[in-house]
Amino acid sequence: VGVAGFIFVASARIWGKRHLYLLGTILIVISSAWGGASGDNYNSLLWARVIQGVGLAPFEALVNASVGDLYFVHERGKRMAFSNLALFGGAFFTPVLVGKITHTIGWQWTFYLVAIFAGALLPLIFCFVPETAYRRADVLDTDTTELKAFDNSSHSGHSDVPSTGSSNLTSLEKRGVVPPHQVDALHNPGVAGLSKVPFKQTLHPFNGRKSDDNFFKLLLRPFPLFLHPAVLWACLIQGTLIGWTVMIGVVLAAIFLGPPLWFNEVETGYMYTGPFVGAIFGFILSGLLADWSTTFMIKRNRGVYEPEFRIVLVVAQLVFGCAGLYGFGIVSPKVGRYGWFWPDFFFALEVTGMVLGAVASALYIVDAHRGLPTPCQCRSKHANGYSPGEIAVEAFTCLLIFKNIFSFGLTWGAYNWLTSAGISETFYIVASIQVGVPILCPISQEC
């Protein structure tokens, strides 16, 4: 998933996202059918899973960026929460079903059913998922124009930044914030190329280039972004809790399949009901808090919006995520005393924190770094070589790579760590590390 993200994100920047959603769905259908038919051939199953990961990459890397394409700032909170619910809720709901499916009709059908459902989705994606990326006049990027204006003003010595209303466009033009040929775009949709596209045309996988950048430069651009403060912060906020969630999955299998409870695979699968409920609760909580807290802080900030307002959600992540990790470390080694409920309950709290962190980091990246490079931005590069608003898609690639590599590393070594250090001690260390992650929030504002 992580390696494919580099290629797909570079392609998305140049040719848009639609063709990648279609390609990803086709790969998932083929690889899932392949996995079910692999039988006892381990190498065949391994390569089927690799192709599955490649097919999944566009959906992990690009959906959050599509939310930024489609919705205004004040509309993104609930939509971003819902997209993360679909991602994480699905990940925790399927184990509930997979145990039963494996027990009754065989593990092969877990792959066949994915192929069937993905095949059913393919015509829906083809017909109803149009391209969301397109070129437009910079003045129409209403959520980034003020940032561009501030950047240009600070370089020219002006401290007052006018709004993007029609009465201020002439001022913006005179100060070089908006190119002269774009001033009429706000009043004349034809100039901006906003005429309605026929439905038949929206079915094309490609509809022109979205960027003149070199493909190979875009391919390598995510690497230095790991040193970008905001991207590093987002990787830690989202990726660490996802990794700890994977580690809890390892513990569930080790604890409940053996003594003293002796769960079978069906009952162990049912243990994912708790985290699924936690994902739903995280979705509801983040949906309610994301836009409400931002609106509240805008009022407190005299009507001025700052992307950093999204970071407030990290407080809720700290409470729920760390409570879940500490609690799971306390009760999971003593399931004979506490039973199955309390480990599942604290697992649910940890997943709630994970969803809150994922939504917070995604919203911040989209709001602070959504747009494509523009002539205005190119004149105001920061010291790290990037302009505000041009790195959102690459930033999500970094998140994709970090969380998958971190989770893979924990999966690879978690069992040995747990058996050598003990479950309680391991999760006390993990929870303490997680307490420290939100303290890094100030570094995200150094971009």
Short mmCIF file of all heavy atoms in Angstrom, two decimals, residues 228-292:
data_model
loop_
_atom_site.label_atom_id
_atom_site.label_comp_id
_atom_site.label_asym_id
_atom_site.label_seq_id
_atom_site.Cartn_x
_atom_site.Cartn_y
_atom_site.Cartn_z
N HIS A 228 8.89 17.98 7.08
CA HIS A 228 7.99 19.14 7.23
C HIS A 228 7.27 19.01 8.58
O HIS A 228 6.67 17.98 8.89
CB HIS A 228 6.98 19.13 6.09
CG HIS A 228 6.17 20.39 5.99
ND1 HIS A 228 5.22 20.75 6.91
CD2 HIS A 228 6.18 21.38 5.05
CE1 HIS A 228 4.67 21.90 6.55
NE2 HIS A 228 5.23 22.30 5.44
N PRO A 229 7.33 20.03 9.44
CA PRO A 229 6.76 19.90 10.79
C PRO A 229 5.31 19.45 10.82
O PRO A 229 4.94 18.57 11.61
CB PRO A 229 6.93 21.31 11.38
CG PRO A 229 8.08 21.89 10.63
CD PRO A 229 7.98 21.34 9.25
N ALA A 230 4.47 20.04 9.98
CA ALA A 230 3.05 19.70 10.00
C ALA A 230 2.82 18.25 9.55
O ALA A 230 1.97 17.54 10.10
CB ALA A 230 2.26 20.66 9.10
N VAL A 231 3.56 17.81 8.55
CA VAL A 231 3.39 16.45 8.05
C VAL A 231 3.91 15.43 9.06
O VAL A 231 3.28 14.40 9.31
CB VAL A 231 4.11 16.28 6.69
CG1 VAL A 231 4.03 14.85 6.20
CG2 VAL A 231 3.49 17.23 5.65
N LEU A 232 5.05 15.72 9.68
CA LEU A 232 5.58 14.84 10.72
C LEU A 232 4.59 14.72 11.87
O LEU A 232 4.34 13.63 12.39
CB LEU A 232 6.92 15.37 11.21
CG LEU A 232 7.56 14.60 12.37
CD1 LEU A 232 7.85 13.17 11.98
CD2 LEU A 232 8.84 15.31 12.84
N TRP A 233 4.01 15.85 12.27
CA TRP A 233 3.01 15.84 13.34
C TRP A 233 1.81 14.98 12.95
O TRP A 233 1.34 14.15 13.74
CB TRP A 233 2.56 17.27 13.63
CG TRP A 233 1.35 17.35 14.51
CD1 TRP A 233 1.32 17.29 15.88
CD2 TRP A 233 -0.02 17.49 14.10
NE1 TRP A 233 0.04 17.39 16.35
CE2 TRP A 233 -0.81 17.52 15.27
CE3 TRP A 233 -0.63 17.61 12.86
CZ2 TRP A 233 -2.20 17.64 15.23
CZ3 TRP A 233 -2.01 17.74 12.82
CH2 TRP A 233 -2.78 17.76 13.98
N ALA A 234 1.30 15.15 11.74
CA ALA A 234 0.13 14.38 11.29
C ALA A 234 0.44 12.89 11.24
O ALA A 234 -0.41 12.05 11.59
CB ALA A 234 -0.34 14.88 9.93
N CYS A 235 1.65 12.53 10.80
CA CYS A 235 2.04 11.12 10.77
C CYS A 235 2.01 10.51 12.16
O CYS A 235 1.52 9.38 12.36
CB CYS A 235 3.44 10.97 10.17
SG CYS A 235 3.55 11.23 8.40
N LEU A 236 2.51 11.25 13.15
CA LEU A 236 2.55 10.73 14.51
C LEU A 236 1.15 10.68 15.12
O LEU A 236 0.78 9.69 15.77
CB LEU A 236 3.48 11.60 15.37
CG LEU A 236 4.96 11.54 15.02
CD1 LEU A 236 5.75 12.57 15.81
CD2 LEU A 236 5.52 10.14 15.25
N ILE A 237 0.36 11.74 14.93
CA ILE A 237 -0.98 11.78 15.51
C ILE A 237 -1.84 10.64 14.98
O ILE A 237 -2.56 9.98 15.72
CB ILE A 237 -1.64 13.15 15.21
CG1 ILE A 237 -1.01 14.24 16.08
CG2 ILE A 237 -3.15 13.10 15.43
CD1 ILE A 237 -1.32 14.11 17.56
N GLN A 238 -1.78 10.41 13.66
CA GLN A 238 -2.62 9.37 13.07
C GLN A 238 -1.97 8.00 13.10
O GLN A 238 -2.62 7.00 13.42
CB GLN A 238 -2.93 9.75 11.62
CG GLN A 238 -3.88 8.78 10.93
CD GLN A 238 -4.24 9.21 9.52
OE1 GLN A 238 -4.15 8.45 8.57
NE2 GLN A 238 -4.69 10.46 9.37
N GLY A 239 -0.68 7.94 12.80
CA GLY A 239 -0.04 6.65 12.58
C GLY A 239 0.23 5.85 13.84
O GLY A 239 0.14 4.61 13.82
N THR A 240 0.56 6.51 14.94
CA THR A 240 0.91 5.76 16.14
C THR A 240 -0.29 4.99 16.69
O THR A 240 -0.18 3.80 17.00
CB THR A 240 1.47 6.70 17.23
OG1 THR A 240 0.55 7.80 17.42
CG2 THR A 240 2.82 7.24 16.83
N LEU A 241 -1.45 5.64 16.81
CA LEU A 241 -2.62 4.94 17.34
C LEU A 241 -3.08 3.83 16.41
O LEU A 241 -3.59 2.80 16.86
CB LEU A 241 -3.76 5.94 17.60
CG LEU A 241 -3.83 6.48 19.03
CD1 LEU A 241 -4.97 7.48 19.18
CD2 LEU A 241 -4.00 5.36 20.05
N ILE A 242 -2.92 4.03 15.10
CA ILE A 242 -3.26 2.94 14.18
C ILE A 242 -2.33 1.75 14.42
O ILE A 242 -2.76 0.60 14.42
CB ILE A 242 -3.16 3.43 12.72
CG1 ILE A 242 -4.28 4.44 12.43
CG2 ILE A 242 -3.25 2.26 11.74
CD1 ILE A 242 -4.21 5.06 11.05
N GLY A 243 -1.05 2.04 14.65
CA GLY A 243 -0.11 0.95 14.95
C GLY A 243 -0.44 0.24 16.24
O GLY A 243 -0.39 -1.00 16.31
N TRP A 244 -0.79 1.00 17.30
CA TRP A 244 -1.15 0.35 18.57
C TRP A 244 -2.42 -0.49 18.39
O TRP A 244 -2.57 -1.53 19.04
CB TRP A 244 -1.37 1.38 19.66
CG TRP A 244 -0.31 2.41 19.86
CD1 TRP A 244 -0.49 3.73 20.15
CD2 TRP A 244 1.13 2.22 19.81
NE1 TRP A 244 0.71 4.38 20.27
CE2 TRP A 244 1.73 3.48 20.07
CE3 TRP A 244 1.95 1.12 19.56
CZ2 TRP A 244 3.10 3.66 20.10
CZ3 TRP A 244 3.34 1.31 19.58
CH2 TRP A 244 3.90 2.55 19.84
N THR A 245 -3.33 -0.05 17.53
CA THR A 245 -4.54 -0.83 17.25
C THR A 245 -4.19 -2.18 16.64
O THR A 245 -4.77 -3.22 17.00
CB THR A 245 -5.46 -0.05 16.31
OG1 THR A 245 -5.76 1.22 16.89
CG2 THR A 245 -6.76 -0.81 16.06
N VAL A 246 -3.25 -2.16 15.71
CA VAL A 246 -2.80 -3.42 15.11
C VAL A 246 -2.18 -4.33 16.17
O VAL A 246 -2.41 -5.55 16.18
CB VAL A 246 -1.78 -3.13 13.98
CG1 VAL A 246 -1.14 -4.41 13.49
CG2 VAL A 246 -2.46 -2.40 12.83
N MET A 247 -1.43 -3.75 17.09
CA MET A 247 -0.81 -4.55 18.14
C MET A 247 -1.86 -5.16 19.07
O MET A 247 -1.70 -6.30 19.54
CB MET A 247 0.18 -3.69 18.93
CG MET A 247 1.10 -4.51 19.81
SD MET A 247 2.57 -3.61 20.34
CE MET A 247 1.87 -2.52 21.54
N ILE A 248 -2.92 -4.42 19.35
CA ILE A 248 -4.00 -4.98 20.17
C ILE A 248 -4.62 -6.18 19.47
O ILE A 248 -5.00 -7.18 20.10
CB ILE A 248 -5.06 -3.91 20.47
CG1 ILE A 248 -4.50 -2.86 21.44
CG2 ILE A 248 -6.32 -4.53 21.06
CD1 ILE A 248 -5.44 -1.73 21.76
N GLY A 249 -4.74 -6.11 18.13
CA GLY A 249 -5.26 -7.26 17.39
C GLY A 249 -4.41 -8.51 17.58
O GLY A 249 -4.94 -9.63 17.67
N VAL A 250 -3.08 -8.31 17.66
CA VAL A 250 -2.19 -9.45 17.93
C VAL A 250 -2.47 -10.01 19.32
O VAL A 250 -2.52 -11.23 19.53
CB VAL A 250 -0.72 -9.01 17.80
CG1 VAL A 250 0.21 -10.14 18.22
CG2 VAL A 250 -0.41 -8.57 16.39
N VAL A 251 -2.69 -9.14 20.30
CA VAL A 251 -2.94 -9.58 21.67
C VAL A 251 -4.27 -10.32 21.77
O VAL A 251 -4.38 -11.32 22.49
CB VAL A 251 -2.92 -8.36 22.62
CG1 VAL A 251 -3.26 -8.78 24.04
CG2 VAL A 251 -1.57 -7.69 22.59
N LEU A 252 -5.29 -9.83 21.07
CA LEU A 252 -6.59 -10.50 21.12
C LEU A 252 -6.48 -11.96 20.72
O LEU A 252 -7.02 -12.85 21.39
CB LEU A 252 -7.58 -9.79 20.20
CG LEU A 252 -8.22 -8.50 20.69
CD1 LEU A 252 -9.19 -7.97 19.65
CD2 LEU A 252 -8.93 -8.70 22.01
N ALA A 253 -5.78 -12.21 19.62
CA ALA A 253 -5.63 -13.59 19.17
C ALA A 253 -4.87 -14.42 20.19
O ALA A 253 -5.21 -15.58 20.45
CB ALA A 253 -4.91 -13.60 17.81
N ALA A 254 -3.82 -13.83 20.79
CA ALA A 254 -3.00 -14.58 21.74
C ALA A 254 -3.74 -14.87 23.04
O ALA A 254 -3.57 -15.94 23.64
CB ALA A 254 -1.71 -13.80 22.03
N ILE A 255 -4.57 -13.93 23.48
CA ILE A 255 -5.24 -14.07 24.77
C ILE A 255 -6.49 -14.94 24.69
O ILE A 255 -6.67 -15.88 25.48
CB ILE A 255 -5.62 -12.68 25.33
CG1 ILE A 255 -4.37 -11.90 25.70
CG2 ILE A 255 -6.54 -12.82 26.54
CD1 ILE A 255 -4.66 -10.50 26.17
N PHE A 256 -7.35 -14.65 23.72
CA PHE A 256 -8.68 -15.27 23.73
C PHE A 256 -8.73 -16.64 23.06
O PHE A 256 -9.65 -17.41 23.32
CB PHE A 256 -9.69 -14.32 23.09
CG PHE A 256 -9.93 -13.09 23.92
CD1 PHE A 256 -9.36 -11.88 23.57
CD2 PHE A 256 -10.69 -13.15 25.06
CE1 PHE A 256 -9.56 -10.75 24.34
CE2 PHE A 256 -10.90 -12.03 25.85
CZ PHE A 256 -10.33 -10.83 25.49
N LEU A 257 -7.76 -16.94 22.19
CA LEU A 257 -7.76 -18.27 21.58
C LEU A 257 -7.21 -19.34 22.52
O LEU A 257 -7.39 -20.53 22.29
CB LEU A 257 -6.94 -18.26 20.28
CG LEU A 257 -7.58 -17.54 19.09
CD1 LEU A 257 -6.60 -17.45 17.92
CD2 LEU A 257 -8.86 -18.24 18.65
N GLY A 258 -6.53 -18.89 23.59
CA GLY A 258 -5.95 -19.81 24.55
C GLY A 258 -6.65 -19.75 25.91
O GLY A 258 -7.73 -19.16 26.04
N PRO A 259 -6.01 -20.32 26.93
CA PRO A 259 -6.61 -20.30 28.27
C PRO A 259 -6.59 -18.88 28.83
O PRO A 259 -5.73 -18.07 28.46
CB PRO A 259 -5.70 -21.24 29.07
CG PRO A 259 -4.38 -21.19 28.34
CD PRO A 259 -4.73 -21.02 26.90
N PRO A 260 -7.54 -18.51 29.71
CA PRO A 260 -8.56 -19.38 30.31
C PRO A 260 -9.91 -19.40 29.58
O PRO A 260 -10.81 -20.12 29.96
CB PRO A 260 -8.73 -18.76 31.70
CG PRO A 260 -8.52 -17.29 31.45
CD PRO A 260 -7.48 -17.19 30.37
N LEU A 261 -10.07 -18.58 28.53
CA LEU A 261 -11.38 -18.47 27.89
C LEU A 261 -11.56 -19.45 26.74
O LEU A 261 -12.69 -19.83 26.43
CB LEU A 261 -11.58 -17.02 27.38
CG LEU A 261 -11.58 -15.94 28.46
CD1 LEU A 261 -11.83 -14.57 27.84
CD2 LEU A 261 -12.64 -16.22 29.53
N TRP A 262 -10.49 -19.79 26.04
CA TRP A 262 -10.54 -20.76 24.94
C TRP A 262 -11.59 -20.39 23.89
O TRP A 262 -12.41 -21.21 23.48
CB TRP A 262 -10.82 -22.18 25.46
CG TRP A 262 -9.73 -22.71 26.34
CD1 TRP A 262 -9.76 -22.84 27.69
CD2 TRP A 262 -8.46 -23.20 25.91
NE1 TRP A 262 -8.58 -23.36 28.17
CE2 TRP A 262 -7.75 -23.60 27.08
CE3 TRP A 262 -7.82 -23.33 24.68
CZ2 TRP A 262 -6.47 -24.12 27.04
CZ3 TRP A 262 -6.54 -23.85 24.64
CH2 TRP A 262 -5.87 -24.25 25.79
N PHE A 263 -11.54 -19.15 23.42
CA PHE A 263 -12.45 -18.73 22.34
C PHE A 263 -12.05 -19.44 21.04
O PHE A 263 -10.86 -19.72 20.81
CB PHE A 263 -12.36 -17.22 22.12
CG PHE A 263 -13.18 -16.41 23.08
CD1 PHE A 263 -13.72 -16.96 24.23
CD2 PHE A 263 -13.41 -15.06 22.84
CE1 PHE A 263 -14.48 -16.20 25.11
CE2 PHE A 263 -14.16 -14.28 23.71
CZ PHE A 263 -14.68 -14.87 24.84
N ASN A 264 -13.04 -19.71 20.19
CA ASN A 264 -12.72 -20.16 18.83
C ASN A 264 -12.62 -18.95 17.91
O ASN A 264 -12.76 -17.81 18.34
CB ASN A 264 -13.76 -21.17 18.33
CG ASN A 264 -15.18 -20.59 18.33
OD1 ASN A 264 -15.37 -19.39 18.13
ND2 ASN A 264 -16.17 -21.45 18.56
N GLU A 265 -12.38 -19.19 16.60
CA GLU A 265 -12.17 -18.06 15.70
C GLU A 265 -13.42 -17.20 15.54
O GLU A 265 -13.33 -16.00 15.31
CB GLU A 265 -11.69 -18.55 14.32
CG GLU A 265 -12.69 -19.39 13.55
CD GLU A 265 -12.52 -20.87 13.82
OE1 GLU A 265 -11.95 -21.23 14.86
OE2 GLU A 265 -12.96 -21.68 12.98
N VAL A 266 -14.61 -17.81 15.67
CA VAL A 266 -15.85 -17.05 15.56
C VAL A 266 -15.99 -16.09 16.74
O VAL A 266 -16.27 -14.89 16.57
CB VAL A 266 -17.06 -17.98 15.47
CG1 VAL A 266 -18.35 -17.17 15.41
CG2 VAL A 266 -16.95 -18.89 14.26
N GLU A 267 -15.78 -16.59 17.95
CA GLU A 267 -15.91 -15.76 19.15
C GLU A 267 -14.83 -14.68 19.20
O GLU A 267 -15.09 -13.55 19.63
CB GLU A 267 -15.83 -16.65 20.39
CG GLU A 267 -17.01 -17.60 20.53
CD GLU A 267 -16.78 -18.66 21.59
OE1 GLU A 267 -15.64 -19.16 21.70
OE2 GLU A 267 -17.74 -19.00 22.31
N THR A 268 -13.62 -15.02 18.74
CA THR A 268 -12.56 -14.01 18.69
C THR A 268 -12.92 -12.90 17.69
O THR A 268 -12.66 -11.72 17.92
CB THR A 268 -11.22 -14.65 18.30
OG1 THR A 268 -10.92 -15.70 19.23
CG2 THR A 268 -10.10 -13.64 18.32
N GLY A 269 -13.53 -13.29 16.57
CA GLY A 269 -13.99 -12.30 15.61
C GLY A 269 -15.05 -11.38 16.19
O GLY A 269 -15.05 -10.17 15.90
N TYR A 270 -15.91 -11.93 17.03
CA TYR A 270 -16.95 -11.10 17.67
C TYR A 270 -16.35 -10.04 18.59
O TYR A 270 -17.02 -9.05 18.90
CB TYR A 270 -17.91 -11.98 18.46
CG TYR A 270 -18.81 -12.84 17.60
CD1 TYR A 270 -19.42 -13.98 18.13
CD2 TYR A 270 -19.06 -12.52 16.27
CE1 TYR A 270 -20.25 -14.78 17.34
CE2 TYR A 270 -19.88 -13.32 15.47
CZ TYR A 270 -20.47 -14.44 16.01
OH TYR A 270 -21.28 -15.23 15.24
N MET A 271 -15.10 -10.25 19.03
CA MET A 271 -14.46 -9.27 19.90
C MET A 271 -14.22 -7.94 19.18
O MET A 271 -13.96 -6.92 19.82
CB MET A 271 -13.13 -9.81 20.43
CG MET A 271 -13.27 -10.95 21.44
SD MET A 271 -14.12 -10.44 22.95
CE MET A 271 -12.96 -9.27 23.61
N TYR A 272 -14.30 -7.93 17.86
CA TYR A 272 -14.14 -6.69 17.11
C TYR A 272 -15.43 -5.87 17.06
O TYR A 272 -15.44 -4.79 16.46
CB TYR A 272 -13.64 -6.99 15.70
CG TYR A 272 -12.16 -7.26 15.64
CD1 TYR A 272 -11.65 -8.53 15.87
CD2 TYR A 272 -11.26 -6.23 15.41
CE1 TYR A 272 -10.29 -8.78 15.84
CE2 TYR A 272 -9.89 -6.46 15.37
CZ TYR A 272 -9.41 -7.74 15.60
OH TYR A 272 -8.06 -7.98 15.58
N THR A 273 -16.49 -6.36 17.70
CA THR A 273 -17.70 -5.55 17.81
C THR A 273 -17.43 -4.29 18.62
O THR A 273 -17.91 -3.20 18.30
CB THR A 273 -18.83 -6.37 18.47
OG1 THR A 273 -19.03 -7.57 17.74
CG2 THR A 273 -20.12 -5.57 18.52
N GLY A 274 -16.64 -4.43 19.69
CA GLY A 274 -16.30 -3.28 20.52
C GLY A 274 -15.60 -2.17 19.74
O GLY A 274 -16.05 -1.01 19.76
N PRO A 275 -14.50 -2.47 19.07
CA PRO A 275 -13.84 -1.42 18.29
C PRO A 275 -14.71 -0.86 17.17
O PRO A 275 -14.58 0.32 16.81
CB PRO A 275 -12.59 -2.10 17.73
CG PRO A 275 -12.76 -3.55 17.95
CD PRO A 275 -13.68 -3.69 19.11
N PHE A 276 -15.60 -1.68 16.60
CA PHE A 276 -16.51 -1.15 15.59
C PHE A 276 -17.44 -0.10 16.20
O PHE A 276 -17.65 0.97 15.61
CB PHE A 276 -17.33 -2.28 14.97
CG PHE A 276 -18.37 -1.81 13.99
CD1 PHE A 276 -18.01 -1.20 12.81
CD2 PHE A 276 -19.72 -1.97 14.27
CE1 PHE A 276 -18.97 -0.76 11.91
CE2 PHE A 276 -20.69 -1.52 13.38
CZ PHE A 276 -20.31 -0.92 12.20
N VAL A 277 -17.97 -0.40 17.38
CA VAL A 277 -18.80 0.58 18.09
C VAL A 277 -17.95 1.81 18.44
O VAL A 277 -18.42 2.95 18.34
CB VAL A 277 -19.41 -0.04 19.36
CG1 VAL A 277 -20.13 1.01 20.20
CG2 VAL A 277 -20.37 -1.17 19.00
N GLY A 278 -16.70 1.59 18.84
CA GLY A 278 -15.81 2.72 19.12
C GLY A 278 -15.57 3.59 17.91
O GLY A 278 -15.50 4.82 18.02
N ALA A 279 -15.45 2.97 16.73
CA ALA A 279 -15.27 3.75 15.50
C ALA A 279 -16.50 4.59 15.20
O ALA A 279 -16.39 5.75 14.78
CB ALA A 279 -14.98 2.81 14.33
N ILE A 280 -17.70 4.02 15.42
CA ILE A 280 -18.93 4.78 15.20
C ILE A 280 -19.01 5.95 16.18
O ILE A 280 -19.37 7.07 15.81
CB ILE A 280 -20.16 3.87 15.35
CG1 ILE A 280 -20.17 2.83 14.22
CG2 ILE A 280 -21.45 4.68 15.34
CD1 ILE A 280 -21.31 1.82 14.33
N PHE A 281 -18.66 5.69 17.45
CA PHE A 281 -18.70 6.75 18.45
C PHE A 281 -17.68 7.84 18.11
O PHE A 281 -17.95 9.04 18.25
CB PHE A 281 -18.40 6.18 19.84
CG PHE A 281 -18.44 7.20 20.94
CD1 PHE A 281 -19.62 7.86 21.25
CD2 PHE A 281 -17.30 7.51 21.66
CE1 PHE A 281 -19.67 8.81 22.26
CE2 PHE A 281 -17.33 8.45 22.67
CZ PHE A 281 -18.52 9.11 22.97
N GLY A 282 -16.50 7.43 17.65
CA GLY A 282 -15.50 8.41 17.22
C GLY A 282 -15.98 9.25 16.06
O GLY A 282 -15.73 10.45 15.99
N PHE A 283 -16.70 8.61 15.12
CA PHE A 283 -17.27 9.33 13.99
C PHE A 283 -18.29 10.37 14.46
O PHE A 283 -18.26 11.53 14.04
CB PHE A 283 -17.94 8.34 13.03
CG PHE A 283 -19.02 8.92 12.18
CD1 PHE A 283 -18.73 9.85 11.20
CD2 PHE A 283 -20.34 8.53 12.34
CE1 PHE A 283 -19.74 10.39 10.40
CE2 PHE A 283 -21.35 9.05 11.56
CZ PHE A 283 -21.05 9.99 10.60
N ILE A 284 -19.18 9.96 15.35
CA ILE A 284 -20.21 10.89 15.85
C ILE A 284 -19.55 12.05 16.60
O ILE A 284 -19.89 13.22 16.41
CB ILE A 284 -21.20 10.14 16.76
CG1 ILE A 284 -21.98 9.10 15.95
CG2 ILE A 284 -22.17 11.11 17.44
CD1 ILE A 284 -22.85 8.18 16.79
N LEU A 285 -18.60 11.71 17.48
CA LEU A 285 -17.96 12.74 18.30
C LEU A 285 -17.15 13.71 17.44
O LEU A 285 -17.24 14.93 17.61
CB LEU A 285 -17.06 12.06 19.33
CG LEU A 285 -16.56 12.93 20.49
CD1 LEU A 285 -17.73 13.50 21.28
CD2 LEU A 285 -15.65 12.12 21.40
N SER A 286 -16.37 13.17 16.50
CA SER A 286 -15.57 14.05 15.65
C SER A 286 -16.44 14.88 14.72
O SER A 286 -16.16 16.06 14.46
CB SER A 286 -14.57 13.23 14.83
OG SER A 286 -15.22 12.27 14.03
N GLY A 287 -17.55 14.29 14.23
CA GLY A 287 -18.47 15.04 13.39
C GLY A 287 -19.11 16.20 14.13
O GLY A 287 -19.28 17.30 13.58
N LEU A 288 -19.44 15.96 15.41
CA LEU A 288 -20.05 17.02 16.21
C LEU A 288 -19.03 18.09 16.61
O LEU A 288 -19.33 19.29 16.61
CB LEU A 288 -20.68 16.42 17.48
CG LEU A 288 -21.92 15.53 17.27
CD1 LEU A 288 -22.34 14.90 18.60
CD2 LEU A 288 -23.07 16.34 16.69
N LEU A 289 -17.82 17.65 16.97
CA LEU A 289 -16.84 18.59 17.50
C LEU A 289 -16.07 19.35 16.42
O LEU A 289 -15.71 20.51 16.64
CB LEU A 289 -15.83 17.84 18.39
CG LEU A 289 -16.33 17.30 19.72
CD1 LEU A 289 -15.22 16.55 20.44
CD2 LEU A 289 -16.85 18.43 20.60
N ALA A 290 -15.82 18.70 15.27
CA ALA A 290 -14.92 19.28 14.28
C ALA A 290 -15.39 20.65 13.81
O ALA A 290 -14.65 21.65 13.89
CB ALA A 290 -14.75 18.33 13.10
N ASP A 291 -16.62 20.73 13.31
CA ASP A 291 -17.12 22.00 12.80
C ASP A 291 -17.59 22.93 13.91
O ASP A 291 -17.42 24.15 13.82
CB ASP A 291 -18.26 21.75 11.81
CG ASP A 291 -17.76 21.08 10.53
OD1 ASP A 291 -16.59 21.31 10.17
OD2 ASP A 291 -18.53 20.33 9.90
N TRP A 292 -18.16 22.37 14.99
CA TRP A 292 -18.63 23.21 16.09
C TRP A 292 -17.46 23.93 16.76
O TRP A 292 -17.51 25.14 17.01
CB TRP A 292 -19.37 22.37 17.13
CG TRP A 292 -19.76 23.17 18.35
CD1 TRP A 292 -20.86 23.95 18.50
CD2 TRP A 292 -18.99 23.31 19.56
NE1 TRP A 292 -20.84 24.56 19.75
CE2 TRP A 292 -19.71 24.19 20.41
CE3 TRP A 292 -17.78 22.77 20.00
CZ2 TRP A 292 -19.25 24.52 21.68
CZ3 TRP A 292 -17.32 23.12 21.26
CH2 TRP A 292 -18.05 23.98 22.09
#
